[in-house]
Amino acid sequence: MGHETFMAEALKEARKAFEEGEIPVGAVVVCENRIIGKGYNQTQKLHDVTAHAEMIAITAAANYLGAKYLNDCTMYVTLEPCIMCAGAIGWAQLGGLIIGSLDEKKGFLRVKEPVLHPKTEILTGILSIESKEMLLEFFQNLRQ
Amino acid sequence: MGHETFMAEALKEARKAFEEGEIPVGAVVVCENRIIGKGYNQTQKLHDVTAHAEMIAITAAANYLGAKYLNDCTMYVTLEPCIMCAGAIGWAQLGGLIIGSLDEKKGFLRVKEPVLHPKTEILTGILSIESKEMLLEFFQNLRQ
């Protein structure tokens, strides 16, 4: 399966967040072409700043594998991870990080010091329009 | 109570990690002179890179308050937080961050871009010798 197929699954996770009134971000962790962990933003519901989609997906994937390193896995996330999540992705040594839309304000790519593992491959812009549109719709609804 | 009193409690958390074979780092979150959240490193036991002392303490404190922002709270942590934890401390908008020993390799202070909330006050070096000694003892045991 291609990148768009898995990103579409991450977008489904983001949609769950949207429907629960959370900033719509979703993530899935893929290993050997199978989704072994997924998550969506639940910071409001759980009153917990650490409950980002990526954190939940990493914990789920590690739980599935019974191992904390995810070298052979790839994460698909609808929005560029923040520094916290990038730090977690770094610790988990994910093999790949596929990003939907970019987050110029809060994203980790602005940080000059290395945050990810040096071997993590990064790809951006997969289904970015779909991700951006969902975020835009969310924030437009908030303002009304 | 003073900074050393609360850092001593964080060191007790670190000792729990030490006794469970985890890198000994502990943290407590204090609000109105009371500990409302604590945590110690459990990454090995939980197979989860996100299970750092600070993350667990933030989740516990937010759970206690039923609120995700911890502006009126101070975190005491025995070792300088990594980028992931600093990101979480930033999201939680902690009022204060009191650090034991510094971590030149993995600590967040080397990052030039702002990671914490601009109002978070930072203090380092509280019971740093005790923290360093516990870490040293841990890594010496590992090598034997």
Side-chain angles (χ1 to χ4, degrees):
Chain A
M1 283 190 278
H3 289 322
E4 296 205 349
T5 310
F6 288 122
M7 189 60 84
E9 294 299 316
L11 281 165
K12 279 186 200 166
E13 292 299 307
R15 179 58 64 182
K16 291 181 195 170
F18 184 98
E19 281 163 10
E20 295 182 12
E22 304 270 357
I23 297 176
V25 183
V28 299
V29 173
V30 173
C31 197
E32 292 176 355
N33 243 16
R34 283 178 54 205
I35 292 173
I36 62 163
K38 49 191 187 176
Y40 60 92
N41 179 31
Q42 300 188 52
T43 50
Q44 293 294 114
K45 187 169 66 182
L46 300 179
H47 305 300
D48 188 347
V49 296
T50 74
H52 280 194
E54 301 94 314
M55 307 297 277
I56 294 167
I58 286 174
T59 298
N63 207 37
Y64 177 87
L65 293 176
K68 66 177 184 162
Y69 295 119
L70 305 173
N71 302 278
D72 297 327
C73 304
T74 296
M75 175 181 283
Y76 292 78
V77 56
T78 59
L79 182 67
E80 180 188 340
C82 71
I83 287 176
M84 171 182 75
C85 292
I89 292 163
W91 282 119
Q93 302 183 8
L94 272 144
L97 175 62
I98 319 291
I99 296 169
S101 56
L102 296 178
D103 184 353
E104 282 169 30
K105 264 194 186 168
K106 291 287 188 180
F108 80 99
L109 290 171
R110 71 195 156 89
V111 176
K112 283 173 197 74
E113 291 79 7
V115 181
L116 301 189
H117 189 267
K119 288 195 179 165
T120 304
E121 290 178 29
I122 305 177
L123 189 64
T124 65
I126 305 296
L127 300 186
S128 64
I129 293 169
E130 288 80 350
S131 166
K132 263 185 215 163
E133 278 177 352
M134 204 189 300
L135 285 159
L136 200 63
E137 189 187 346
F138 177 82
F139 286 111
Q140 279 173 341
N141 287 351
L142 263 195
R143 277 189 211 100
Q144 277 165 12
Chain B
M1 283 190 278
H3 289 321
E4 297 204 349
T5 309
F6 288 122
M7 188 60 84
E9 294 299 316
L11 280 165
K12 279 187 201 167
E13 291 300 306
R15 178 58 65 183
K16 292 181 194 170
F18 183 97
E19 281 162 11
E20 296 182 12
E22 305 271 358
I23 297 176
V25 183
V28 299
V29 174
V30 173
C31 197
E32 293 176 353
N33 243 16
R34 282 179 53 205
I35 292 173
I36 62 163
K38 49 191 186 175
Y40 60 93
N41 180 30
Q42 299 188 53
T43 51
Q44 293 295 114
K45 187 169 66 183
L46 301 179
H47 306 298
D48 188 348
V49 297
T50 73
H52 280 192
E54 301 94 315
M55 307 298 276
I56 295 168
I58 286 173
T59 298
N63 206 36
Y64 176 87
L65 294 176
K68 65 177 183 161
Y69 295 119
L70 305 173
N71 301 281
D72 297 327
C73 303
T74 297
M75 175 181 285
Y76 292 78
V77 57
T78 59
L79 183 66
E80 180 188 340
C82 72
I83 287 177
M84 171 183 74
C85 291
I89 291 163
W91 282 119
Q93 302 183 7
L94 272 145
L97 175 61
I98 318 291
I99 296 169
S101 56
L102 296 179
D103 184 352
E104 281 169 30
K105 265 194 185 167
K106 292 288 186 179
F108 81 98
L109 290 171
R110 71 195 156 90
V111 176
K112 284 174 196 72
E113 292 78 7
V115 181
L116 302 188
H117 189 268
K119 287 195 179 166
T120 304
E121 290 178 29
I122 305 176
L123 189 65
T124 65
I126 305 296
L127 299 186
S128 63
I129 293 170
E130 289 81 348
S131 166
K132 264 185 215 163
E133 278 176 352
M134 206 191 298
L135 286 158
L136 200 64
E137 188 187 346
F138 177 82
F139 287 110
Q140 279 173 340
N141 288 351
L142 263 195
R143 277 189 212 102
Q144 276 165 10

